[in-house]
Amino acid sequence: MATQHSRSAARVMISPAVLLLLAWMLIPLGMTLYFSFQRYNLLMPGAHPWVGLMNYKLFIQNPAFWTALINTLLLVGGVLIATVVLGVLLAILLDQPMWGQGIVRILVIAPFFVMPTVSALVWKNLFMNPVNGLFAWLLPKLGMAPYDFLTQAPLASITFIVSWQWLPFATLILLTAIQSLDSEQMEAAEMDGASALSRFWYITLPHLSRAITVVVLIQTIFLLSVFAEILVTTNGGPGNASTNLTYLVYARSLLNFDVGGGSAGGVIAIILANIVAIFLMRAIGKNLDA
Amino acid sequence: MARAVTPQRKAINTIAAWIIGLLIFFPILWTILTSFKTEAAAVAFPPQFLNFDWTFENYTTVQERSSYFRHFWNSVVISLGSTVIGLIIAVPAAWAMAFVPGKQTKNVLMWMLSTKMLPPVGVLIPIYLLFRQFGLLDTRTGLVIVLTLMNLPIIVWMLYTYFREIPVDILEAARMDGASLRKEIIYILTPMAVPGIASTLLLNVILSWNEAFWTLNLTAAKAAPLTAFIASYSSPEGLFYAKLSAASTMAIAPILILGWFSQKQLVRGLTFGAVK
Amino acid sequence: QTLTIATVNNGDMIRMQGLTDDFTSEHPDIQLEWVTLEENVLRQRVTTDIATNGGQYDVITIGNYEVPIWANQQWLAPLEDMPEDYDADDLLPAIAGGLSVDGTLYAAPFYGESAMVMYRTDLAEEAGIDMPDQPTWTDVMAAAEAFNDPDNGTYGICLRGKAGWGENMAFITAMSNSYGARWFDMDWQPQFDSPEWTATLSDYLNMMENYGPPGAANNGFNENLALFQQGRCGIWIDATVAASFVTDPDESTVADNVGFAQFPNKDGVDNHGNWLWSWNLAIPSSSGNVEAAKQFVAWATSKGYTDLVAAEEGWRAAPPGTRTSLYENAEYQDAAPFAAMTLESIDAVDTNAPSVQEIPYTGAQFVSIPEFQGIGTAVGQAFSAALAGQMDAEAALSQAQQITTQEMTASGYIE
Amino acid sequence: MGRITLDKVTKRFGDAEVIPPLDLTIEDGEFVVFVGPSGCGKSTLLRLIAGLEDVSGGEIRIDGTAATELPPAKRGLAMVFQSYALYPHMSVRKNIAFPMKMAGMPKEEQERRIDNAAKVLNLTDYLDRRPGQLSGGQRQRVAIGRAIVREPAAFLFDEPLSNLDAALRVGMRLEISELHNRLETTMIYVTHDQVEAMTMADKIVVLRAGKIEQVGTPLELYRTPRNKFVAGFIGSPTMNLIEGPEAQAMDAHTIGIRPEHLDVSSTDGRWRGTVGVAEHLGSDTFFHVHDTGLAEMITVRADGEVQLRHGDTVYLTPQDGKLHRFDEQGLRIA
Amino acid sequence: MGRITLDKVTKRFGDAEVIPPLDLTIEDGEFVVFVGPSGCGKSTLLRLIAGLEDVSGGEIRIDGTAATELPPAKRGLAMVFQSYALYPHMSVRKNIAFPMKMAGMPKEEQERRIDNAAKVLNLTDYLDRRPGQLSGGQRQRVAIGRAIVREPAAFLFDEPLSNLDAALRVGMRLEISELHNRLETTMIYVTHDQVEAMTMADKIVVLRAGKIEQVGTPLELYRTPRNKFVAGFIGSPTMNLIEGPEAQAMDAHTIGIRPEHLDVSSTDGRWRGTVGVAEHLGSDTFFHVHDTGLAEMITVRADGEVQLRHGDTVYLTPQDGKLHRFDEQGLRIA
Ligand SMILES: Nc1ncnc2c1ncn2[C@@H]1O[C@H](COP(=O)(O)OP(=O)(O)OP(=O)(O)O)[C@@H](O)[C@H]1O
Ligand SMILES: Nc1ncnc2c1ncn2[C@@H]1O[C@H](COP(=O)(O)OP(=O)(O)OP(=O)(O)O)[C@@H](O)[C@H]1O
Ligand SMILES: [Mg+2]
Ligand SMILES: [Mg+2]
């Protein structure tokens, strides 16, 4: 397949995608970089004086930055852990023989189709609202004190909402992976005297590792830029308790209309995202080859 | 492992799975139910499950307020448009990566994915300025372009994993049989990859349909899709749970139904080569 | 011609959308496209568009905060040559003043508001409390304590807590005005370290902690409105427009039991908060349809429109707070028990001297500088965090002081 | 130590009776091979013995104790799968150790047995590799290693060599035979390969559609097939089966003669025919003879040196005492 | 019509030289088989001829015209892949029609050729099925059909039978041979199956590590292998190769004797040894003889009737003129 002809054809064929993405990355990125060195507030037209690294300095010195950084990691990590752990358990459950498996699958998959804005609105208003939400009614019934989720545990609540949206994705991939496990391997383990738990631990889980990496990679890409859920539910608050980097950049550039500061934040967010990306790519690159 | 599963075991599985399935689905169900209640019933304590007076009033109100079908149509055009164009660009790229792999192939793929990590908010203003420059603001064309670029890496990756499962032999056979590259892709590769292409298409329609940042920020009235429709319900005055539920139901119903009907393809495509 | 109109998703605006047949039948060549968005999103969208000269909108809905700033930037088309019957002189002077630069009107007020106290007369009767027309904060706190009955789902007082310069900061700034505090001294030095601010914030937090509803840190105008309509609040201090909603028997369970009073002041401080807000229709200078847009703006803010609303939905629904003629209308006075209090509140505002102390800025429940949105929101977040129990008043104030100093320095106000 | 008895064992999948009641005894230390056409139930039978499938009826006894209800791990059997079913994420050492680890065997004992097995199977150099880094034959040996260390009462092999190429297959065949000689453990071996069956088995069980057609040593089956099915199934190239007058002349419905039992002459013999395709293998030549007056084409195996070409005329004579006769039911006539 | 000449053809993958400069001429109408151990470059060579890989150096000529730079489709060759490479989404008819469609052949001509090929290959009843609905042998025939209709200058087959089971393989082997007889088109056939190579080839090319070890007719290779490698590679069971004094006694570094060329006696002979494993195939018995005083174990092929058991003593004598002698370089000594 590797003739000169096909190689040059390949180059031609791949170039539209590469060029478009390159443009998509470089042009806005270049502009962002350019703006990040200016004092540029949308509300104050006129000259945009060059201010060097001041925007970066202000962005990093802002205590909200560190909170946002930690929140970002907590949110991504929390959702990943929740979806992978629950996803594995759920996938195993769904793999068991049962009645109405198809319907259960449909029920489980549904949250994946819900727009983030809608799901945030629904959770915030119909469920987590401390006065009118369903939880406000349910908790006292269960003998618990009413709890104001979005105020008292804003980040955890958002993590929960986002996990709900992504659990189907994880479950589905893991379920397919489980179903692809060679049944002879399971039988061999059984003949080898492994209990159900040992089989899960020594056979199923390692078999899933590749699927888990894919889940982690894809979800991370989307989770790093979680935004709508925060905007709709808590606006990043109270305080900065649920502000992630994306939201912080949003707040700077679109609530304060400080394009310079926002751009600096954007550049920082891009750098951080790429650090995470490199880590992940390394890991997954290895796992995808194996 | 075709040993008999005891009915008890199966019953336990069934009950557990149904309980969990219903719990996961409950928020959506509850939203749908609420959309048929009056505002007062929507916040009534104790909550009313089925024992309320069903009303379609909310749907009429919502429809009066904003022309649902225009938003709906925009959503359809934008998500389908960006997916189809994305596919047209991605199929050749995925072909090249899958069948003429080089040392850089994996890196190119990973780089493509990493462009997805660009936080959109960071580049909104530049894009906005560019769009203004080219007259793309509030046009479906503009959104199609952005969403195509947003989802292109995912499309390429999915197609790539799909194509890799197609034996090279068959493409080589076509080549021996005298097919040009174009014909090879049109007559052999694409038809063989139909399931993969279908699931790629589906996933991307879903992602584009639900994309809420660019669609909201780059449109005003003409090109605004359902995400903008929903945005106008996010915090209105007074009691609004039922209306919000109705609007939400209307916004998610099309894609939910599409997703359910095409579950199988979607699931297969979603595996991103994670499952060999 | 097609006009793209950006509006807030509040009741009056939505009502207007329903009544546009009247306009389009008169102007068959003009089509209307609506963009209805939540306030924050709207503001962000409109500002981005107007500042980048995007030209997506022909008519925008903006507040009296933006109007003078934007007019100074030449972003708005002046509303000169309005149709004959528009009668600009009929506009309430306090409102029109805030929308004019050098005597030229740059936006037409759609409705206007100040703030006032709304309380439950039934609860007051039960508790034997008599709310004066001009209450002090002491009166309000006493009433809130008396009304508070969380076990039965009634909370003494509902106030804004959701972070945002137009949300909690609107209220807290107004409250601080009534406590004699100010944002900046004459050198633009932030004043959050002053005793007046300490008093304001600690009283605010005390009230909310002791008599407020749960989740107050996420409550804005809309959330509180919903709560009050359900009978969950004893007192609600907020914009005067709310009055028509809480007294609407279709939506409110307490429609018949609402009393009104002026925005409280602290004993000894002669200031009722100076809350003045109007939602206005303006025309971006980047619009390609200025003339048609003017037609629409004139229609939507005319006396005729008020009559139209009255005819279709009753007088109580008429957009308040913009025209003297409305308040002179007997039918309106009959239908709207809150009319007098609304007018009184609006008339009491002096946007040139929102604080009793000397200040370098104008404004009301906001400071009329472009940076205020950013600063206000950041400070609002700190206060919201304090309300959520993440920090105490002192820490919130010192954080506010720090943020504000930093931003003002960055913007070159202070060295 | 490894006597396995099947007593009226039956297996149904839904309505399909894959194994009708079947009796079979496998003696301790025997090497038993199951052969039969694809789908005849060889694997199913093996899996019933292993406990990987439930019997639908009947009894399985291992060393005299009832095993029908025991889970696979408790039966003391080890199985080598066609796909080897190695654990891909574990090293060879861990793969082999796995059953012992599951049994909670002390570490030293584990090590000892692994070393032992590795030595026996020539795996010592590969203990730290993953299965993915091994060749087919090496994987095969790992699978056997994993079976050996458990010191099972019997080994079950399901077509263990079918994934290997021809040359390796020969080598592994010998290795397994030698292993059996050394361990003297009962082995049950499923294959569809003639040569494997003939060379390895102490006893071959020929199955058709779940029923046992014949049980016997390889040479018994070769020399005295109980019926036409076994006659046709054992031996390669296949036995020539001739019906019609020629058979009736010998008081049979069908007569059978193996290709290697026909003498070839260019001058005279019992049947005269023309050579069709001739296949020269060097050591042997197979040729197909037409137009003998018999309905069937006759295959003959001759010496590698025989020089016959397409179209030559030859005379064929069956060797003495090598003719098989079958009646109408296909049963051997003694 | 189908003369293929390779002139110093070289292939490198990165740094690895898979095919060192190689010369080979394939005459029109010849049936040439490439054999060699796995990884020796058989497929690579075929793909170079097909044009699916670029040569790193050298020239390929087809019917005298330079083909080195031509794309696969222009070389007028047809290839049958190991996996058949049928188009799964097209019916058999469309599969067969595809190359003609690509060539823009008129519909009627296409129909004619399809019908013809279908008749030749017994596919007429299956023309409207999809490949997925066919058995392995049928698929194989469709792949051949697709190749036939192009009336190529030569057919290239890359292990076309290796996915079939043994019985089918025999049948297809005959069919391809017959096809070659009928079409008289050049065929190049890659296999690692001894029997296929020996029975089908006009000429066998033995490759090792990309180099040609010997080219000749099957019997030439069997009888006069040019070196030890070919000697060991052709013939099954493998030739016994004996080094040491016994070889030196015959003026050679190594002597070779095929298992079928040893006479066995229980009383006397050249070498005396003990029987190890004996493999009874019915028709033949292979046994392994140890302790002959030679370093190597000797494999002997004897009659199926020979009754020798493990441990018996036997005497072996090589047949006259069947001894092969090799020098230190492994080359045959004439
Ligand atoms: N789980 C099952 N459900 C239904 N039928 C089955 C199942 N497993 C096997 N069968 C059927 O039982 C019969 C015997 O299958 P089995 O796998 O034992 O055959 P086999 O002799 O091993 O064949 P092969 O040589 O192809 O491996 C077949 O007809 C098969 O279709
Ligand atoms: N695309 C490639 N890149 C690098 N090396 C390759 C490539 N294709 C083949 N090789 C190497 O070239 C050598 C010859 O491979 P080839 O496939 O021709 O062998 P083969 O004789 O067909 O083997 P088999 O009998 O296993 O099919 C092998 O060592 C192989 O690893
Ligand atoms: Mg089987
Ligand atoms: Mg090959």
Side-chain angles (χ1 to χ4, degrees), chain A residues 12-260:
Chain A
V12 172
M13 308 260 277
I14 203 172
S15 47
V18 169
L19 291 180
L20 279 172
L21 283 176
L22 209 59
W24 169 240
M25 193 179 79
L26 289 185
I27 294 174
L29 200 64
M31 289 172 79
T32 303
L33 207 60
Y34 177 68
F35 292 153
S36 71
F37 296 114
Q38 299 176 340
R39 176 184 300 156
Y40 180 5
N41 189 312
L42 269 189
L43 298 176
M44 285 169 288
H48 304 145
W50 198 258
V51 294
L53 289 174
M54 186 173 85
N55 286 323
Y56 289 93
K57 216 175 89 193
L58 285 179
F59 194 86
I60 292 182
Q61 277 174 357
N62 186 344
F65 169 71
W66 296 105
T67 321
L69 190 63
I70 291 165
N71 284 346
T72 307
L73 295 179
L74 285 177
L75 179 63
V76 173
V79 175
L80 285 180
I81 291 170
T83 51
V84 169
V85 171
L86 294 177
V88 168
L89 296 179
L90 199 53
I92 287 173
L93 178 60
L94 290 183
D95 190 40
Q96 307 294 315
M98 67 178 72
W99 289 286
Q101 197 170 26
I103 303 174
V104 175
R105 236 162 78 150
I106 280 181
L107 295 181
V108 169
I109 198 177
F112 188 59
F113 303 132
V114 177
M115 300 182 183
T117 351
V118 170
S119 99
L121 280 172
V122 164
W123 277 107
K124 175 192 179 184
N125 292 305
L126 299 188
F127 289 91
M128 292 182 172
N129 184 300
V131 178
N132 289 322
L134 207 55
F135 289 161
W137 171 78
L138 196 64
L139 286 182
K141 288 260 146 145
L142 299 175
M144 280 179 268
Y147 193 74
D148 182 6
F149 294 92
L150 289 170
T151 313
Q152 284 166 269
L155 194 63
S157 303
I158 290 172
T159 307
F160 173 82
I161 295 174
V162 178
S163 302
W164 176 75
Q165 287 170 208
W166 283 98
L167 181 61
F169 176 82
T171 307
L172 284 179
I173 290 192
L174 294 170
L175 179 59
T176 326
I178 285 184
Q179 285 169 345
S180 80
L181 177 60
D182 174 20
S183 67
E184 286 197 345
Q185 247 184 68
M186 267 315 201
E187 292 178 343
E190 203 175 340
M191 300 249 354
D192 284 347
S195 65
L197 198 65
S198 306
R199 286 200 297 268
F200 169 74
W201 188 252
Y202 291 108
I203 312 292
T204 310
L205 214 51
H207 172 77
L208 289 181
S209 65
R210 189 183 153 86
I212 291 175
T213 355
V214 168
V215 169
V216 168
L217 176 73
I218 299 273
Q219 289 198 12
T220 308
I221 288 176
F222 285 91
L223 294 180
L224 279 175
S225 48
V226 162
F227 169 73
E229 290 87 342
I230 297 178
L231 178 73
V232 170
T233 51
T234 62
N235 278 308
N240 294 314
S242 58
T243 298
N244 67 353
L245 270 182
T246 303
Y247 192 85
L248 188 68
V249 174
Y250 164 81
R252 272 239 79 80
S253 52
L254 295 178
L255 292 181
N256 300 8
F257 300 104
D258 175 2
V259 178

Side-chain angles (χ1 to χ4, degrees), chain A residues 1-2, chain E residues 12-14 16 18-19 36-47 53 82 158-159 190-192 207:
Chain A
M1 188 77 182
Chain E
R12 277 184 297 276
F13 285 116
V18 173
I19 312 264
S38 185
C40 69
K42 304 181 292 293
S43 300
T44 307
L45 198 52
L46 204 65
R47 292 163 56 82
E53 302 273 359
Q82 182 172 6
D158 192 355
E159 311 201 11
V190 168
T191 185
H192 57 244
L207 290 167

Side-chain angles (χ1 to χ4, degrees), chain E residues 91-94 96 114-115 118 123-129:
Chain E
S91 65
V92 168
R93 182 188 301 281
K94 292 230 174 98
I96 297 180
I114 293 172
D115 287 347
L123 283 171
T124 315
D125 293 345
Y126 306 106
L127 281 178
D128 294 316
R129 295 221 196 147

Side-chain angles (χ1 to χ4, degrees), chain C residues 31-278:
Chain C
Q31 245 112 65
L32 303 181
E33 298 266 26
W34 294 94
V35 180
T36 314
L37 293 169
E38 190 241 334
E39 184 175 332
N40 287 321
V41 181
L42 174 88
R43 185 171 287 122
Q44 174 232 316
R45 298 282 300 105
V46 164
T47 312
T48 317
D49 188 69
I50 204 161
T52 59
N53 210 9
Q56 289 199 58
Y57 307 105
D58 300 300
V59 177
I60 55 180
T61 307
I62 54 178
N64 53 340
Y65 162 73
E66 286 98 350
V67 175
I69 301 175
W70 291 10
N72 277 324
Q73 314 275 27
Q74 323 284 311
W75 286 346
L76 301 178
L79 295 183
E80 290 157 330
D81 316 318
M82 291 295 268
E84 301 264 308
D85 57 350
Y86 184 67
D87 193 4
D89 297 336
D90 183 38
L91 298 175
L92 292 176
I95 297 278
L99 304 179
S100 305
V101 173
D102 299 333
T104 309
L105 197 61
Y106 279 89
F110 183 75
Y111 70 78
E113 63 183 28
S114 181
M116 61 183 177
V117 177
M118 288 160 276
Y119 63 95
R120 294 270 301 282
T121 48
D122 51 338
L123 296 182
E125 215 161 293
E126 222 172 277
I129 285 206
D130 192 21
M131 182 72 78
D133 272 356
Q134 299 202 340
T136 63
W137 285 107
T138 322
D139 297 330
V140 169
M141 284 181 233
E145 180 172 16
F147 296 162
N148 194 32
D149 185 9
D151 294 341
N152 291 317
T154 309
Y155 305 97
I157 186 164
C158 297
L159 299 173
R160 296 185 182 188
K162 187 180 186 173
W165 69 271
E167 289 283 8
N168 64 343
M169 286 318 290
F171 177 81
I172 295 176
T173 302
M175 183 171 168
S176 77
N177 287 340
S178 73
Y179 269 71
R182 57 181 174 173
W183 268 77
F184 301 106
D185 69 8
M186 292 306 283
D187 299 323
W188 290 103
Q189 291 294 342
Q191 297 298 305
F192 291 106
D193 46 5
S194 64
E196 292 89 349
W197 266 108
T198 312
T200 308
L201 192 63
S202 49
D203 280 358
Y204 167 80
L205 293 177
N206 273 338
M207 275 190 286
M208 292 308 286
E209 244 155 57
N210 296 330
Y211 323 125
N218 280 316
N219 287 351
F221 174 82
N222 291 316
E223 287 81 2
N224 282 331
L225 172 59
L227 289 174
F228 195 87
Q229 282 177 334
Q230 290 170 62
R232 301 215 179 249
C233 304
I235 302 176
W236 180 29
I237 307 179
D238 213 309
T240 50
V241 272
S244 77
F245 299 111
V246 296
T247 55
D248 177 351
D250 289 342
E251 291 197 356
S252 174
T253 57
V254 295
D256 297 335
N257 299 315
V258 190
F260 304 97
Q262 209 177 4
F263 196 90
N265 62 325
K266 188 173 160 71
D267 297 286
V269 179
D270 178 21
N271 187 321
H272 289 279
N274 282 309
W275 174 309
L276 184 71
W277 185 253
S278 59

Side-chain angles (χ1 to χ4, degrees), chain A residues 1-12, chain B residues 95 100-101, chain E residues 11 54:
Chain A
M1 188 77 182
T3 59
Q4 205 52 47
H5 178 241
S6 64
R7 260 192 298 270
S8 49
R11 230 164 290 141
V12 172
Chain B
W95 173 88
V100 194
Chain E
K11 178 66 189 178
D54 286 332

Side-chain angles (χ1 to χ4, degrees), chain E residues 220-239:
Chain E
E220 268 168 34
L221 300 192
Y222 179 76
R223 291 189 187 140
T224 53
R226 215 166 65 81
N227 57 27
K228 254 166 63 183
F229 176 76
V230 177
F233 195 79
I234 301 283
S236 161
T238 335
M239 182 188 283

